[in-house]
Amino acid sequence: MQEATKAKILTTLLKPVTQLPVHTDLPRLVHVLTISKNQKLLFTAQLGVPALSNLENTLIVLTQELLGQEQKKIVSLITSLAEKHFLIGKDQPDKVINSILTEAFGIPGTPIDSNPVVKILKAMNQSVMAPALIELKMTLGIQNMTKDVAGSWKINVDFQEGANKEKTIVVTSLKREQHISNMFQYQWCLSFVFQATSPNSSDVQCKDVSVKVTDLVFSEDVCKKPGLKEEVKETLKKYITDQNILILAESKPWTQQAAPPPTPPKIITVRMPKISPVRDRSASQSGPTSPNVIAEKTPTT
């Protein structure tokens, strides 16, 4: 990634959450969001559940992992705020998300942007992702223009703990781009690395951001444009850290479009703690549903 692109992304990340499209992007991206710990899946959105319900559970899991002793009080507050703002049949989380964030994570005299949960959420919107994609498009050039592949967006938040208990959070966004004449398709991966400011602190800071190309395929029609395959491979080579991607691009069929994340979480069933049952508020008014954090598949975005 070019230094100018990295600087632009990090500068955007420092903007107040109310000046970023988090309130509009997060409700639609939560359906493709997974949360893991040391690559073991903790949470994924439930199918057929309104966005605000999945957002509530996302905020609960992030709070539990990030806020330590404070988490019980805030989890209870998130639950009450969701009940306050949720309207059956009028699921409009973009209208209330900033209010929920302010009320749940705001401290008088302290901007909500200093809260670690809010810092992680700010890495999940199009404004911080756009500079990386623009760089990739400009690198390929106008002669190789691409369009996004619908339903290909995936986001993972992975909590990692080192041998000395140091805390690292990696927010990874995956999306696919396709040549406008369908000659090739590639998957790009944007990663934010957050680290705790001190061993016993819940505060985190973004220490690095990087972009990689993690998959590349060509259609059979690429032979109609002599030299195109070699040009694309040479252009994208600097974004590819696994040289097997270039090797496999020679033989991988076009239909094999979806590549796994660079560090896929190991999918196991993990129940939510009793203090915060995962609920579908739209399913029943008789009480919360049983926790169920594993979805069969991810719906398209």
Side-chain angles (χ1 to χ4, degrees):
M1 177 186 287
Q2 298 172 5
E3 289 301 318
T5 301
K6 180 181 291 189
K8 186 175 293 186
I9 292 173
L10 294 176
T11 299
T12 304
L13 198 63
L14 292 175
K15 290 184 177 180
V17 67
T18 53
Q19 294 180 19
L20 294 171
V22 172
H23 66 290
T24 53
D25 286 350
L26 189 58
R28 64 191 185 88
L29 293 179
V30 72
H31 296 298
V32 298
L33 171 69
T34 57
I35 303 174
S36 55
K37 189 169 186 176
N38 294 321
Q39 301 181 32
K40 294 181 179 179
L41 191 63
L42 292 177
F43 173 83
T44 191
Q46 298 180 74
L47 295 176
V49 172
L52 191 54
S53 183
N54 278 322
L55 271 172
E56 175 192 359
N57 296 322
T58 298
L59 293 176
I60 286 173
V61 177
L62 292 177
T63 298
Q64 290 169 334
E65 293 298 323
L66 285 166
L67 297 186
Q69 294 181 350
E70 304 174 61
Q71 58 99 357
K72 288 187 178 181
K73 179 177 67 175
I74 297 178
V75 163
S76 177
L77 181 56
I78 292 170
T79 300
S80 64
L81 287 171
E83 291 171 347
K84 171 184 173 182
H85 289 292
F86 193 91
L87 294 173
I88 301 300
K90 296 183 179 180
D91 185 36
Q92 297 179 307
D94 59 311
K95 306 294 184 183
V96 300
I97 184 77
N98 283 339
S99 296
I100 292 176
L101 293 179
T102 300
E103 294 179 58
F105 303 112
I107 299 174
T110 304
I112 62 171
D113 300 279
S114 63
N115 185 280
V117 174
V118 176
K119 289 180 180 181
I120 297 301
L121 294 176
K122 285 165 65 175
M124 305 177 205
N125 70 88
Q126 292 191 88
S127 289
V128 296
M129 300 176 191
L133 179 57
I134 291 172
E135 178 180 319
L136 287 168
K137 286 179 175 286
M138 294 294 289
T139 300
L140 283 167
I142 194 170
Q143 73 278 11
N144 292 319
M145 288 181 63
T146 59
K147 56 188 177 182
D148 71 296
V149 177
S152 64
W153 209 334
K154 294 178 177 62
I155 298 178
N156 175 250
V157 180
D158 188 45
F159 292 89
Q160 303 171 3
E161 192 172 274
N164 297 320
K165 302 297 183 181
E166 63 272 19
K167 184 194 304 179
T168 301
I169 304 101
V170 181
V171 181
T172 303
S173 296
L174 293 160
K175 208 169 192 305
R176 299 186 75 83
E177 287 282 312
Q178 185 165 310
H179 186 248
I180 57 172
S181 297
N182 302 326
M183 293 295 175
F184 65 89
Q185 186 183 106
Y186 69 93
Q187 179 175 259
W188 59 276
C189 169
L190 181 65
S191 297
F192 293 87
V193 179
F194 293 83
Q195 290 182 336
T197 54
S198 64
N200 297 318
S201 173
S202 63
D203 189 26
V204 298
Q205 297 291 339
C206 183
K207 296 298 184 180
D208 192 28
V209 59
S210 60
V211 66
K212 296 188 295 185
V213 170
T214 56
D215 189 41
L216 177 64
V217 290
F218 292 95
S219 74
E220 294 180 354
D221 292 335
V222 74
C223 61
K224 297 178 181 178
K225 285 196 171 184
L228 176 60
K229 180 185 288 188
E230 289 69 26
E231 178 186 349
V232 171
K233 289 171 63 177
E234 183 62 29
T235 301
L236 294 179
K237 185 169 63 175
K238 61 184 176 181
Y239 298 102
I240 296 174
T241 57
D242 182 356
Q243 295 306 305
N244 285 327
I245 293 171
L246 293 173
I247 296 171
L248 291 172
E250 293 293 335
S251 57
K252 186 183 296 184
W254 173 255
T255 53
Q256 188 178 333
Q257 295 180 354
T263 53
K266 181 181 178 182
I267 299 179
I268 60 172
T269 300
V270 180
R271 296 285 180 177
M272 295 287 290
K274 292 182 179 179
I275 60 170
S276 56
V278 175
R279 294 182 288 180
D280 174 4
R281 297 186 184 280
S282 66
S284 171
Q285 296 300 304
S286 60
T289 62
S290 299
N292 177 15
V293 299
I294 302 298
E296 292 296 326
K297 61 181 181 178
T298 302
T300 58
T301 300

mmCIF file of all heavy atoms in Angstrom, residues 127-167:
data_model
loop_
_atom_site.group_PDB
_atom_site.id
_atom_site.type_symbol
_atom_site.label_atom_id
_atom_site.label_comp_id
_atom_site.label_asym_id
_atom_site.label_seq_id
_atom_site.Cartn_x
_atom_site.Cartn_y
_atom_site.Cartn_z
ATOM 1 N N SER A 127 -15.919 4.821 4.023
ATOM 2 C CA SER A 127 -14.996 5.960 3.962
ATOM 3 C C SER A 127 -13.559 5.552 4.276
ATOM 4 O O SER A 127 -12.618 6.051 3.643
ATOM 5 C CB SER A 127 -15.446 7.054 4.936
ATOM 6 O OG SER A 127 -16.621 7.683 4.481
ATOM 7 N N VAL A 128 -13.370 4.655 5.254
ATOM 8 C CA VAL A 128 -12.003 4.238 5.578
ATOM 9 C C VAL A 128 -11.489 3.194 4.594
ATOM 10 O O VAL A 128 -10.272 3.027 4.429
ATOM 11 C CB VAL A 128 -11.896 3.695 7.024
ATOM 12 C CG1 VAL A 128 -12.202 4.775 8.029
ATOM 13 C CG2 VAL A 128 -12.782 2.491 7.238
ATOM 14 N N MET A 129 -12.400 2.490 3.919
ATOM 15 C CA MET A 129 -11.989 1.457 2.977
ATOM 16 C C MET A 129 -11.726 2.006 1.576
ATOM 17 O O MET A 129 -10.931 1.455 0.815
ATOM 18 C CB MET A 129 -13.062 0.372 2.887
ATOM 19 C CG MET A 129 -13.348 -0.326 4.205
ATOM 20 S SD MET A 129 -14.716 -1.512 4.039
ATOM 21 C CE MET A 129 -15.025 -1.901 5.763
ATOM 22 N N ALA A 130 -12.398 3.117 1.236
ATOM 23 C CA ALA A 130 -12.346 3.639 -0.130
ATOM 24 C C ALA A 130 -10.940 3.943 -0.634
ATOM 25 O O ALA A 130 -10.613 3.607 -1.787
ATOM 26 C CB ALA A 130 -13.229 4.880 -0.241
ATOM 27 N N PRO A 131 -10.048 4.570 0.146
ATOM 28 C CA PRO A 131 -8.714 4.877 -0.398
ATOM 29 C C PRO A 131 -7.950 3.646 -0.882
ATOM 30 O O PRO A 131 -7.250 3.709 -1.897
ATOM 31 C CB PRO A 131 -8.002 5.537 0.788
ATOM 32 C CG PRO A 131 -9.103 6.138 1.599
ATOM 33 C CD PRO A 131 -10.233 5.160 1.498
ATOM 34 N N ALA A 132 -8.090 2.519 -0.187
ATOM 35 C CA ALA A 132 -7.390 1.298 -0.603
ATOM 36 C C ALA A 132 -7.930 0.794 -1.935
ATOM 37 O O ALA A 132 -7.162 0.406 -2.829
ATOM 38 C CB ALA A 132 -7.537 0.214 0.466
ATOM 39 N N LEU A 133 -9.255 0.798 -2.088
ATOM 40 C CA LEU A 133 -9.852 0.334 -3.340
ATOM 41 C C LEU A 133 -9.511 1.273 -4.491
ATOM 42 O O LEU A 133 -9.239 0.827 -5.611
ATOM 43 C CB LEU A 133 -11.373 0.210 -3.178
ATOM 44 C CG LEU A 133 -12.145 -0.253 -4.411
ATOM 45 C CD1 LEU A 133 -11.619 -1.598 -4.910
ATOM 46 C CD2 LEU A 133 -13.635 -0.343 -4.116
ATOM 47 N N ILE A 134 -9.516 2.568 -4.214
ATOM 48 C CA ILE A 134 -9.152 3.538 -5.259
ATOM 49 C C ILE A 134 -7.716 3.296 -5.726
ATOM 50 O O ILE A 134 -7.426 3.357 -6.929
ATOM 51 C CB ILE A 134 -9.331 4.978 -4.737
ATOM 52 C CG1 ILE A 134 -10.826 5.286 -4.553
ATOM 53 C CG2 ILE A 134 -8.689 5.983 -5.687
ATOM 54 C CD1 ILE A 134 -11.095 6.603 -3.856
ATOM 55 N N GLU A 135 -6.821 3.015 -4.776
ATOM 56 C CA GLU A 135 -5.426 2.723 -5.160
ATOM 57 C C GLU A 135 -5.360 1.505 -6.073
ATOM 58 O O GLU A 135 -4.647 1.525 -7.096
ATOM 59 C CB GLU A 135 -4.566 2.485 -3.923
ATOM 60 C CG GLU A 135 -3.120 2.140 -4.273
ATOM 61 C CD GLU A 135 -2.245 1.893 -3.049
ATOM 62 O OE1 GLU A 135 -2.382 2.626 -2.065
ATOM 63 O OE2 GLU A 135 -1.428 0.937 -3.097
ATOM 64 N N LEU A 136 -6.097 0.445 -5.739
ATOM 65 C CA LEU A 136 -6.085 -0.759 -6.577
ATOM 66 C C LEU A 136 -6.632 -0.463 -7.973
ATOM 67 O O LEU A 136 -6.059 -0.905 -8.979
ATOM 68 C CB LEU A 136 -6.919 -1.853 -5.905
ATOM 69 C CG LEU A 136 -6.292 -2.509 -4.670
ATOM 70 C CD1 LEU A 136 -7.326 -3.343 -3.929
ATOM 71 C CD2 LEU A 136 -5.094 -3.375 -5.057
ATOM 72 N N LYS A 137 -7.716 0.302 -8.039
ATOM 73 C CA LYS A 137 -8.311 0.631 -9.337
ATOM 74 C C LYS A 137 -7.368 1.494 -10.176
ATOM 75 O O LYS A 137 -7.213 1.282 -11.388
ATOM 76 C CB LYS A 137 -9.656 1.349 -9.126
ATOM 77 C CG LYS A 137 -10.794 0.439 -8.666
ATOM 78 C CD LYS A 137 -12.068 1.234 -8.455
ATOM 79 C CE LYS A 137 -13.246 0.346 -8.110
ATOM 80 N NZ LYS A 137 -13.740 -0.413 -9.281
ATOM 81 N N MET A 138 -6.734 2.461 -9.533
ATOM 82 C CA MET A 138 -5.802 3.334 -10.258
ATOM 83 C C MET A 138 -4.578 2.554 -10.721
ATOM 84 O O MET A 138 -4.026 2.820 -11.800
ATOM 85 C CB MET A 138 -5.388 4.491 -9.356
ATOM 86 C CG MET A 138 -6.517 5.450 -9.000
ATOM 87 S SD MET A 138 -7.147 6.372 -10.425
ATOM 88 C CE MET A 138 -5.770 7.469 -10.737
ATOM 89 N N THR A 139 -4.149 1.602 -9.917
ATOM 90 C CA THR A 139 -2.986 0.783 -10.293
ATOM 91 C C THR A 139 -3.290 -0.056 -11.530
ATOM 92 O O THR A 139 -2.448 -0.184 -12.444
ATOM 93 C CB THR A 139 -2.576 -0.132 -9.123
ATOM 94 O OG1 THR A 139 -2.232 0.676 -7.995
ATOM 95 C CG2 THR A 139 -1.383 -0.995 -9.496
ATOM 96 N N LEU A 140 -4.490 -0.629 -11.580
ATOM 97 C CA LEU A 140 -4.888 -1.430 -12.748
ATOM 98 C C LEU A 140 -5.093 -0.552 -13.977
ATOM 99 O O LEU A 140 -4.911 -1.003 -15.116
ATOM 100 C CB LEU A 140 -6.168 -2.209 -12.440
ATOM 101 C CG LEU A 140 -5.981 -3.455 -11.573
ATOM 102 C CD1 LEU A 140 -7.329 -3.968 -11.078
ATOM 103 C CD2 LEU A 140 -5.256 -4.549 -12.344
ATOM 104 N N GLY A 141 -5.499 0.696 -13.765
ATOM 105 C CA GLY A 141 -5.658 1.631 -14.873
ATOM 106 C C GLY A 141 -7.038 1.601 -15.493
ATOM 107 O O GLY A 141 -7.805 0.651 -15.340
ATOM 108 N N ILE A 142 -7.350 2.654 -16.230
ATOM 109 C CA ILE A 142 -8.670 2.789 -16.837
ATOM 110 C C ILE A 142 -8.924 1.696 -17.875
ATOM 111 O O ILE A 142 -10.063 1.325 -18.141
ATOM 112 C CB ILE A 142 -8.830 4.201 -17.456
ATOM 113 C CG1 ILE A 142 -10.302 4.470 -17.784
ATOM 114 C CG2 ILE A 142 -7.923 4.351 -18.684
ATOM 115 C CD1 ILE A 142 -10.578 5.905 -18.175
ATOM 116 N N GLN A 143 -7.850 1.163 -18.461
ATOM 117 C CA GLN A 143 -8.008 0.111 -19.470
ATOM 118 C C GLN A 143 -8.443 -1.212 -18.840
ATOM 119 O O GLN A 143 -8.912 -2.112 -19.542
ATOM 120 C CB GLN A 143 -6.708 -0.084 -20.258
ATOM 121 C CG GLN A 143 -5.579 -0.773 -19.498
ATOM 122 C CD GLN A 143 -4.803 0.169 -18.589
ATOM 123 O OE1 GLN A 143 -5.222 1.300 -18.355
ATOM 124 N NE2 GLN A 143 -3.657 -0.289 -18.112
ATOM 125 N N ASN A 144 -8.287 -1.334 -17.532
ATOM 126 C CA ASN A 144 -8.682 -2.556 -16.830
ATOM 127 C C ASN A 144 -9.668 -2.238 -15.703
ATOM 128 O O ASN A 144 -9.530 -2.711 -14.584
ATOM 129 C CB ASN A 144 -7.450 -3.266 -16.255
ATOM 130 C CG ASN A 144 -6.556 -3.829 -17.342
ATOM 131 O OD1 ASN A 144 -7.037 -4.381 -18.331
ATOM 132 N ND2 ASN A 144 -5.248 -3.672 -17.172
ATOM 133 N N MET A 145 -10.637 -1.418 -16.005
ATOM 134 C CA MET A 145 -11.614 -0.993 -15.000
ATOM 135 C C MET A 145 -12.368 -2.194 -14.431
ATOM 136 O O MET A 145 -12.659 -3.160 -15.139
ATOM 137 C CB MET A 145 -12.610 0.000 -15.602
ATOM 138 C CG MET A 145 -12.028 1.374 -15.872
ATOM 139 S SD MET A 145 -13.268 2.511 -16.545
ATOM 140 C CE MET A 145 -14.426 2.585 -15.167
ATOM 141 N N THR A 146 -12.693 -2.106 -13.140
ATOM 142 C CA THR A 146 -13.412 -3.190 -12.473
ATOM 143 C C THR A 146 -14.652 -2.653 -11.770
ATOM 144 O O THR A 146 -14.790 -1.446 -11.525
ATOM 145 C CB THR A 146 -12.518 -3.895 -11.436
ATOM 146 O OG1 THR A 146 -12.084 -2.941 -10.457
ATOM 147 C CG2 THR A 146 -11.307 -4.529 -12.101
ATOM 148 N N LYS A 147 -15.540 -3.573 -11.425
ATOM 149 C CA LYS A 147 -16.753 -3.256 -10.666
ATOM 150 C C LYS A 147 -16.815 -4.223 -9.482
ATOM 151 O O LYS A 147 -16.220 -5.307 -9.508
ATOM 152 C CB LYS A 147 -17.988 -3.447 -11.548
ATOM 153 C CG LYS A 147 -18.086 -4.847 -12.158
ATOM 154 C CD LYS A 147 -19.200 -4.949 -13.171
ATOM 155 C CE LYS A 147 -19.201 -6.356 -13.809
ATOM 156 N NZ LYS A 147 -20.236 -6.496 -14.841
ATOM 157 N N ASP A 148 -17.520 -3.806 -8.433
ATOM 158 C CA ASP A 148 -17.591 -4.684 -7.268
ATOM 159 C C ASP A 148 -18.520 -5.855 -7.543
ATOM 160 O O ASP A 148 -19.465 -5.745 -8.331
ATOM 161 C CB ASP A 148 -18.050 -3.914 -6.031
ATOM 162 C CG ASP A 148 -19.507 -3.513 -6.088
ATOM 163 O OD1 ASP A 148 -19.864 -2.716 -6.969
ATOM 164 O OD2 ASP A 148 -20.303 -4.020 -5.276
ATOM 165 N N VAL A 149 -18.251 -6.986 -6.906
ATOM 166 C CA VAL A 149 -19.071 -8.187 -7.042
ATOM 167 C C VAL A 149 -20.094 -8.198 -5.909
ATOM 168 O O VAL A 149 -19.730 -8.224 -4.723
ATOM 169 C CB VAL A 149 -18.203 -9.463 -6.983
ATOM 170 C CG1 VAL A 149 -19.074 -10.711 -7.049
ATOM 171 C CG2 VAL A 149 -17.190 -9.447 -8.122
ATOM 172 N N ALA A 150 -21.355 -8.152 -6.269
ATOM 173 C CA ALA A 150 -22.422 -8.100 -5.270
ATOM 174 C C ALA A 150 -22.379 -9.322 -4.359
ATOM 175 O O ALA A 150 -22.134 -10.444 -4.802
ATOM 176 C CB ALA A 150 -23.780 -8.016 -5.961
ATOM 177 N N GLY A 151 -22.591 -9.076 -3.066
ATOM 178 C CA GLY A 151 -22.659 -10.164 -2.104
ATOM 179 C C GLY A 151 -21.321 -10.737 -1.708
ATOM 180 O O GLY A 151 -21.272 -11.781 -1.057
ATOM 181 N N SER A 152 -20.216 -10.066 -2.064
ATOM 182 C CA SER A 152 -18.894 -10.639 -1.782
ATOM 183 C C SER A 152 -18.231 -10.035 -0.548
ATOM 184 O O SER A 152 -17.142 -10.444 -0.173
ATOM 185 C CB SER A 152 -17.973 -10.438 -2.994
ATOM 186 O OG SER A 152 -17.743 -9.064 -3.246
ATOM 187 N N TRP A 153 -18.875 -9.070 0.077
ATOM 188 C CA TRP A 153 -18.266 -8.388 1.214
ATOM 189 C C TRP A 153 -18.330 -9.259 2.460
ATOM 190 O O TRP A 153 -19.377 -9.795 2.817
ATOM 191 C CB TRP A 153 -18.985 -7.071 1.483
ATOM 192 C CG TRP A 153 -18.124 -6.013 2.093
ATOM 193 C CD1 TRP A 153 -17.019 -6.192 2.854
ATOM 194 C CD2 TRP A 153 -18.302 -4.599 1.969
ATOM 195 N NE1 TRP A 153 -16.486 -4.984 3.225
ATOM 196 C CE2 TRP A 153 -17.252 -3.985 2.699
ATOM 197 C CE3 TRP A 153 -19.236 -3.793 1.319
ATOM 198 C CZ2 TRP A 153 -17.125 -2.601 2.804
ATOM 199 C CZ3 TRP A 153 -19.111 -2.424 1.420
ATOM 200 C CH2 TRP A 153 -18.065 -1.837 2.154
ATOM 201 N N LYS A 154 -17.210 -9.400 3.145
ATOM 202 C CA LYS A 154 -17.136 -10.124 4.418
ATOM 203 C C LYS A 154 -16.228 -9.361 5.362
ATOM 204 O O LYS A 154 -15.200 -8.828 4.953
ATOM 205 C CB LYS A 154 -16.608 -11.556 4.216
ATOM 206 C CG LYS A 154 -17.519 -12.465 3.420
ATOM 207 C CD LYS A 154 -16.890 -13.840 3.233
ATOM 208 C CE LYS A 154 -17.848 -14.784 2.500
ATOM 209 N NZ LYS A 154 -18.162 -14.301 1.136
ATOM 210 N N ILE A 155 -16.606 -9.301 6.635
ATOM 211 C CA ILE A 155 -15.811 -8.603 7.641
ATOM 212 C C ILE A 155 -15.611 -9.525 8.837
ATOM 213 O O ILE A 155 -16.544 -10.199 9.277
ATOM 214 C CB ILE A 155 -16.490 -7.299 8.092
ATOM 215 C CG1 ILE A 155 -16.621 -6.333 6.909
ATOM 216 C CG2 ILE A 155 -15.701 -6.635 9.221
ATOM 217 C CD1 ILE A 155 -17.311 -5.033 7.240
ATOM 218 N N ASN A 156 -14.384 -9.557 9.352
ATOM 219 C CA ASN A 156 -14.082 -10.349 10.544
ATOM 220 C C ASN A 156 -13.326 -9.499 11.545
ATOM 221 O O ASN A 156 -12.432 -8.733 11.178
ATOM 222 C CB ASN A 156 -13.255 -11.590 10.191
ATOM 223 C CG ASN A 156 -12.816 -12.368 11.431
ATOM 224 O OD1 ASN A 156 -11.639 -12.395 11.774
ATOM 225 N ND2 ASN A 156 -13.758 -12.996 12.104
ATOM 226 N N VAL A 157 -13.714 -9.608 12.811
ATOM 227 C CA VAL A 157 -12.975 -9.002 13.918
ATOM 228 C C VAL A 157 -12.391 -10.146 14.730
ATOM 229 O O VAL A 157 -13.138 -10.957 15.289
ATOM 230 C CB VAL A 157 -13.880 -8.126 14.803
ATOM 231 C CG1 VAL A 157 -13.064 -7.504 15.940
ATOM 232 C CG2 VAL A 157 -14.564 -7.037 13.977
ATOM 233 N N ASP A 158 -11.066 -10.234 14.777
ATOM 234 C CA ASP A 158 -10.417 -11.327 15.494
ATOM 235 C C ASP A 158 -9.620 -10.782 16.681
ATOM 236 O O ASP A 158 -8.726 -9.943 16.510
ATOM 237 C CB ASP A 158 -9.482 -12.111 14.562
ATOM 238 C CG ASP A 158 -8.940 -13.373 15.220
ATOM 239 O OD1 ASP A 158 -9.732 -14.100 15.846
ATOM 240 O OD2 ASP A 158 -7.727 -13.630 15.117
ATOM 241 N N PHE A 159 -9.967 -11.247 17.880
ATOM 242 C CA PHE A 159 -9.239 -10.875 19.095
ATOM 243 C C PHE A 159 -8.117 -11.882 19.305
ATOM 244 O O PHE A 159 -8.351 -13.083 19.372
ATOM 245 C CB PHE A 159 -10.180 -10.874 20.299
ATOM 246 C CG PHE A 159 -11.206 -9.781 20.261
ATOM 247 C CD1 PHE A 159 -12.437 -9.978 19.644
ATOM 248 C CD2 PHE A 159 -10.942 -8.544 20.821
ATOM 249 C CE1 PHE A 159 -13.381 -8.964 19.598
ATOM 250 C CE2 PHE A 159 -11.878 -7.520 20.775
ATOM 251 C CZ PHE A 159 -13.101 -7.734 20.164
ATOM 252 N N GLN A 160 -6.899 -11.377 19.403
ATOM 253 C CA GLN A 160 -5.739 -12.238 19.546
ATOM 254 C C GLN A 160 -4.993 -11.889 20.834
ATOM 255 O O GLN A 160 -4.870 -10.710 21.178
ATOM 256 C CB GLN A 160 -4.805 -12.076 18.346
ATOM 257 C CG GLN A 160 -5.482 -12.361 17.011
ATOM 258 C CD GLN A 160 -4.630 -11.994 15.817
ATOM 259 O OE1 GLN A 160 -3.485 -11.559 15.959
ATOM 260 N NE2 GLN A 160 -5.165 -12.157 14.612
ATOM 261 N N GLU A 161 -4.530 -12.918 21.509
ATOM 262 C CA GLU A 161 -3.782 -12.717 22.751
ATOM 263 C C GLU A 161 -2.456 -13.430 22.652
ATOM 264 O O GLU A 161 -2.396 -14.627 22.395
ATOM 265 C CB GLU A 161 -4.583 -13.244 23.941
ATOM 266 C CG GLU A 161 -4.035 -12.816 25.284
ATOM 267 C CD GLU A 161 -4.952 -13.176 26.431
ATOM 268 O OE1 GLU A 161 -5.871 -12.394 26.731
ATOM 269 O OE2 GLU A 161 -4.754 -14.262 27.011
ATOM 270 N N GLY A 162 -1.369 -12.683 22.841
ATOM 271 C CA GLY A 162 -0.043 -13.256 22.731
ATOM 272 C C GLY A 162 0.380 -13.997 23.981
ATOM 273 O O GLY A 162 -0.354 -14.065 24.979
ATOM 274 N N ALA A 163 1.582 -14.531 23.945
ATOM 275 C CA ALA A 163 2.104 -15.321 25.062
ATOM 276 C C ALA A 163 2.217 -14.499 26.338
ATOM 277 O O ALA A 163 2.078 -15.016 27.448
ATOM 278 C CB ALA A 163 3.464 -15.904 24.687
ATOM 279 N N ASN A 164 2.450 -13.195 26.194
ATOM 280 C CA ASN A 164 2.568 -12.305 27.352
ATOM 281 C C ASN A 164 1.282 -11.537 27.626
ATOM 282 O O ASN A 164 1.311 -10.468 28.242
ATOM 283 C CB ASN A 164 3.724 -11.327 27.125
ATOM 284 C CG ASN A 164 5.057 -12.025 27.003
ATOM 285 O OD1 ASN A 164 5.326 -12.984 27.730
ATOM 286 N ND2 ASN A 164 5.888 -11.569 26.076
ATOM 287 N N LYS A 165 0.163 -12.089 27.139
ATOM 288 C CA LYS A 165 -1.170 -11.517 27.359
ATOM 289 C C LYS A 165 -1.386 -10.189 26.636
ATOM 290 O O LYS A 165 -2.347 -9.476 26.916
ATOM 291 C CB LYS A 165 -1.443 -11.320 28.859
ATOM 292 C CG LYS A 165 -1.346 -12.593 29.700
ATOM 293 C CD LYS A 165 -2.388 -13.609 29.297
ATOM 294 C CE LYS A 165 -2.329 -14.850 30.186
ATOM 295 N NZ LYS A 165 -3.327 -15.871 29.790
ATOM 296 N N GLU A 166 -0.501 -9.844 25.700
ATOM 297 C CA GLU A 166 -0.718 -8.615 24.958
ATOM 298 C C GLU A 166 -1.911 -8.804 24.022
ATOM 299 O O GLU A 166 -2.080 -9.850 23.413
ATOM 300 C CB GLU A 166 0.528 -8.214 24.163
ATOM 301 C CG GLU A 166 0.965 -9.189 23.077
ATOM 302 C CD GLU A 166 1.911 -10.265 23.570
ATOM 303 O OE1 GLU A 166 1.960 -10.502 24.786
ATOM 304 O OE2 GLU A 166 2.580 -10.881 22.727
ATOM 305 N N LYS A 167 -2.728 -7.763 23.933
ATOM 306 C CA LYS A 167 -3.981 -7.841 23.190
ATOM 307 C C LYS A 167 -3.843 -7.186 21.814
ATOM 308 O O LYS A 167 -3.376 -6.051 21.695
ATOM 309 C CB LYS A 167 -5.092 -7.148 23.973
ATOM 310 C CG LYS A 167 -6.476 -7.257 23.335
ATOM 311 C CD LYS A 167 -7.459 -6.289 23.959
ATOM 312 C CE LYS A 167 -7.578 -6.467 25.448
ATOM 313 N NZ LYS A 167 -8.524 -5.491 26.047
#
